[in-house]
Amino acid sequence: EADRHLFHCLFSHVDFNSDGKSPGKDFHQTQFLIQECVTLLSKPNFVSTLSYAIESPLHQQQTLKPSPHLFPQISKILRLSRVQEVVFGLALLNSLNPELRAHATQFVKQKLPDLLRSYVDADSSVRQEGGLQDIAIEVLHLLLAHLVHSKEQFGIGVDQKEAFLKTLRKDFPRDRVPVVIGPLLYPE
C-alpha cells in the first residue's frame, strides 16, 4: 500500500509535458520517480501500482491524460530503456481505462518488434553487456508471459517470436534457466 501511495503521488506531481531536459519545479520528484521506477519493475505489485498511479492521478495532474503522446512522453521523462518501455506498455494493458489500454497496445505494437529484433540481431558480445539477461528476471517473465500466452501478437510474426525464443534459450540453457521463466522457454 505504501508503494501504491508513493507512485500515485510521484506520478501526480511530475509534468509529463515538459521536455525532460531542463530542470523545472518538479525536478526532484522526477529524479526520485526515475530512481523508484527501476525498483518498481521487479516488484510483484508492479502492474497494479503502475496502473493505479497513471489511471487515477491526483486532481492537479493534467498531463497524464490518455493520448498517443502519453507513452513516448513517459518514456522520455523517465528515461526508460527499450525493455522498460515495452514492459511499461505491457503493464498498462491491464488498465481499467479502455483508452489507456488502446494506447498501450499501440505503443507495444510499435516498440516490441524493435526490441526483439535488436536482441536477436545483436551479436553475443553486445548481448553479454546489455542484453535481456541483465534485467530483473521478473521483467523478463512479464515479457515472456505476454509473448507466449497473449492472444494479441503486437505485430510479432511467428518467425520473429521463435527466433527470439531460440536466442533466449542460448542465453538461458536448460541447466541455468531461472525457475520462473523455465516453463515459458522450455514448455516440453
Side-chain angles (χ1 to χ4, degrees):
E1 194 62 31
D3 274 343
R4 186 174 152 124
H5 180 70
L6 173 67
F7 284 95
H8 185 233
C9 290
L10 285 174
F11 270 96
S12 294
H13 287 91
V14 170
D15 178 7
F16 287 95
N17 283 338
S18 72
D19 63 6
K21 293 178 180 127
S22 56
K25 63 179 172 34
D26 60 351
F27 176 76
H28 296 291
Q29 291 92 332
T30 304
Q31 295 308 305
F32 189 50
L33 182 57
I34 289 168
Q35 174 186 325
E36 288 300 308
C37 280
V38 172
T39 60
L40 178 64
L41 284 166
S42 61
K43 292 186 179 182
N45 62 346
F46 164 65
V47 171
S48 62
T49 300
L50 183 67
S51 295
Y52 178 73
I54 291 181
E55 54 187 38
S56 57
L58 297 174
H59 70 286
Q60 74 268 18
Q61 174 56 275
Q62 299 298 314
T63 62
L64 276 179
K65 305 283 187 233
S67 77
H69 306 292
L70 177 62
F71 286 90
Q73 276 302 110
I74 289 174
S75 179
K76 181 171 84 174
I77 298 297
L78 299 182
R79 299 184 194 122
L80 299 178
S81 69
R82 276 182 166 177
V83 175
Q84 291 169 334
E85 284 181 328
V86 169
V87 172
F88 265 56
L90 291 173
L92 290 168
L93 292 174
N94 297 293
S95 172
L96 298 175
N97 181 322
E99 195 178 353
L100 190 57
R101 271 195 322 266
H103 291 301
T105 301
Q106 287 308 113
F107 187 71
V108 171
K109 280 182 180 179
Q110 176 189 2
K111 298 292 183 174
L112 184 59
D114 291 339
L115 173 67
L116 299 188
R117 195 175 307 107
S118 71
Y119 184 67
V120 170
D121 293 346
D123 62 35
S124 58
S125 64
V126 173
R127 275 204 310 275
Q128 292 304 322
E129 293 167 7
L132 292 178
Q133 69 273 29
D134 294 335
I135 62 172
I137 204 65
E138 296 84 358
V139 174
L140 186 55
H141 179 266
L142 179 66
L143 179 62
L144 274 172
H146 274 280
L147 272 176
V148 172
H149 298 301
S150 180
K151 290 180 173 85
E152 172 67 59
Q153 292 306 305
F154 306 109
I156 304 296
V158 175
D159 293 341
Q160 187 178 18
K161 180 175 155 182
E162 284 308 313
F164 176 70
L165 292 173
K166 182 180 176 185
T167 305
L168 270 179
R169 287 182 189 118
K170 284 181 197 172
D171 288 340
F172 297 102
R174 276 187 196 273
D175 60 335
R176 289 193 339 227
V177 68
V179 169
V180 73
I181 64 169
L184 296 168
L185 276 181
Y186 301 101
E188 63 282 343

mmCIF file of all heavy atoms in Angstrom, residues 113 116 147 153-163:
data_model
loop_
_atom_site.group_PDB
_atom_site.id
_atom_site.type_symbol
_atom_site.label_atom_id
_atom_site.label_comp_id
_atom_site.label_asym_id
_atom_site.label_seq_id
_atom_site.Cartn_x
_atom_site.Cartn_y
_atom_site.Cartn_z
ATOM 1 N N PRO A 113 8.391 -5.180 -31.523
ATOM 2 C CA PRO A 113 9.134 -5.785 -32.637
ATOM 3 C C PRO A 113 10.583 -5.292 -32.720
ATOM 4 O O PRO A 113 11.490 -6.084 -32.980
ATOM 5 C CB PRO A 113 8.334 -5.376 -33.876
ATOM 6 C CG PRO A 113 6.952 -5.141 -33.372
ATOM 7 C CD PRO A 113 7.132 -4.573 -31.990
ATOM 8 N N LEU A 116 12.675 -7.001 -29.898
ATOM 9 C CA LEU A 116 13.004 -8.395 -30.222
ATOM 10 C C LEU A 116 14.037 -8.465 -31.329
ATOM 11 O O LEU A 116 14.993 -9.251 -31.249
ATOM 12 C CB LEU A 116 11.747 -9.165 -30.625
ATOM 13 C CG LEU A 116 10.643 -9.286 -29.579
ATOM 14 C CD1 LEU A 116 9.562 -10.234 -30.061
ATOM 15 C CD2 LEU A 116 11.165 -9.694 -28.227
ATOM 16 N N LEU A 147 4.382 -12.678 -24.507
ATOM 17 C CA LEU A 147 4.732 -13.238 -25.818
ATOM 18 C C LEU A 147 4.166 -14.636 -26.016
ATOM 19 O O LEU A 147 3.680 -14.970 -27.084
ATOM 20 C CB LEU A 147 6.253 -13.309 -25.977
ATOM 21 C CG LEU A 147 6.942 -12.093 -26.530
ATOM 22 C CD1 LEU A 147 8.441 -12.291 -26.539
ATOM 23 C CD2 LEU A 147 6.458 -11.756 -27.931
ATOM 24 N N GLN A 153 -0.755 -10.342 -30.788
ATOM 25 C CA GLN A 153 0.610 -10.630 -31.225
ATOM 26 C C GLN A 153 1.490 -9.392 -31.318
ATOM 27 O O GLN A 153 2.684 -9.507 -31.520
ATOM 28 C CB GLN A 153 0.588 -11.384 -32.563
ATOM 29 C CG GLN A 153 0.015 -12.784 -32.444
ATOM 30 C CD GLN A 153 0.713 -13.620 -31.393
ATOM 31 O OE1 GLN A 153 1.916 -13.786 -31.418
ATOM 32 N NE2 GLN A 153 -0.049 -14.114 -30.422
ATOM 33 N N PHE A 154 0.919 -8.208 -31.196
ATOM 34 C CA PHE A 154 1.683 -6.954 -31.169
ATOM 35 C C PHE A 154 2.584 -6.778 -32.385
ATOM 36 O O PHE A 154 3.680 -6.237 -32.271
ATOM 37 C CB PHE A 154 2.526 -6.844 -29.889
ATOM 38 C CG PHE A 154 1.733 -7.013 -28.629
ATOM 39 C CD1 PHE A 154 1.872 -8.152 -27.852
ATOM 40 C CD2 PHE A 154 0.837 -6.046 -28.230
ATOM 41 C CE1 PHE A 154 1.124 -8.310 -26.691
ATOM 42 C CE2 PHE A 154 0.094 -6.196 -27.070
ATOM 43 C CZ PHE A 154 0.247 -7.342 -26.309
ATOM 44 N N GLY A 155 2.167 -7.260 -33.542
ATOM 45 C CA GLY A 155 2.965 -7.092 -34.751
ATOM 46 C C GLY A 155 4.143 -8.037 -34.837
ATOM 47 O O GLY A 155 5.039 -7.841 -35.652
ATOM 48 N N ILE A 156 4.157 -9.052 -33.996
ATOM 49 C CA ILE A 156 5.247 -10.029 -33.976
ATOM 50 C C ILE A 156 4.811 -11.244 -34.786
ATOM 51 O O ILE A 156 3.782 -11.851 -34.503
ATOM 52 C CB ILE A 156 5.551 -10.505 -32.528
ATOM 53 C CG1 ILE A 156 5.857 -9.331 -31.608
ATOM 54 C CG2 ILE A 156 6.668 -11.536 -32.503
ATOM 55 C CD1 ILE A 156 7.074 -8.558 -31.962
ATOM 56 N N GLY A 157 5.622 -11.605 -35.774
ATOM 57 C CA GLY A 157 5.336 -12.800 -36.555
ATOM 58 C C GLY A 157 5.825 -14.049 -35.827
ATOM 59 O O GLY A 157 6.641 -13.968 -34.907
ATOM 60 N N VAL A 158 5.342 -15.196 -36.249
ATOM 61 C CA VAL A 158 5.743 -16.470 -35.643
ATOM 62 C C VAL A 158 7.250 -16.662 -35.762
ATOM 63 O O VAL A 158 7.908 -17.092 -34.799
ATOM 64 C CB VAL A 158 4.981 -17.644 -36.303
ATOM 65 C CG1 VAL A 158 5.475 -18.978 -35.779
ATOM 66 C CG2 VAL A 158 3.481 -17.501 -36.079
ATOM 67 N N ASP A 159 7.815 -16.329 -36.921
ATOM 68 C CA ASP A 159 9.257 -16.498 -37.124
ATOM 69 C C ASP A 159 10.072 -15.622 -36.175
ATOM 70 O O ASP A 159 11.067 -16.069 -35.602
ATOM 71 C CB ASP A 159 9.650 -16.177 -38.572
ATOM 72 C CG ASP A 159 9.082 -17.190 -39.564
ATOM 73 O OD1 ASP A 159 8.721 -18.299 -39.126
ATOM 74 O OD2 ASP A 159 9.024 -16.862 -40.759
ATOM 75 N N GLN A 160 9.643 -14.359 -36.018
ATOM 76 C CA GLN A 160 10.372 -13.450 -35.131
ATOM 77 C C GLN A 160 10.270 -13.920 -33.681
ATOM 78 O O GLN A 160 11.257 -13.893 -32.943
ATOM 79 C CB GLN A 160 9.839 -12.022 -35.268
ATOM 80 C CG GLN A 160 10.674 -11.017 -34.494
ATOM 81 C CD GLN A 160 10.203 -9.583 -34.657
ATOM 82 O OE1 GLN A 160 9.076 -9.326 -35.060
ATOM 83 N NE2 GLN A 160 11.063 -8.641 -34.336
ATOM 84 N N LYS A 161 9.092 -14.386 -33.299
ATOM 85 C CA LYS A 161 8.898 -14.885 -31.934
ATOM 86 C C LYS A 161 9.783 -16.111 -31.683
ATOM 87 O O LYS A 161 10.454 -16.202 -30.649
ATOM 88 C CB LYS A 161 7.427 -15.230 -31.728
ATOM 89 C CG LYS A 161 7.076 -15.753 -30.376
ATOM 90 C CD LYS A 161 5.562 -15.920 -30.302
ATOM 91 C CE LYS A 161 5.129 -16.928 -29.307
ATOM 92 N NZ LYS A 161 3.676 -17.109 -29.279
ATOM 93 N N GLU A 162 9.823 -17.031 -32.632
ATOM 94 C CA GLU A 162 10.646 -18.236 -32.481
ATOM 95 C C GLU A 162 12.133 -17.904 -32.457
ATOM 96 O O GLU A 162 12.896 -18.497 -31.695
ATOM 97 C CB GLU A 162 10.327 -19.247 -33.582
ATOM 98 C CG GLU A 162 9.021 -19.990 -33.370
ATOM 99 C CD GLU A 162 8.900 -20.632 -31.992
ATOM 100 O OE1 GLU A 162 9.859 -21.303 -31.538
ATOM 101 O OE2 GLU A 162 7.854 -20.449 -31.350
ATOM 102 N N ALA A 163 12.557 -16.954 -33.286
ATOM 103 C CA ALA A 163 13.967 -16.534 -33.290
ATOM 104 C C ALA A 163 14.340 -15.924 -31.939
ATOM 105 O O ALA A 163 15.429 -16.177 -31.405
ATOM 106 C CB ALA A 163 14.219 -15.542 -34.418
#
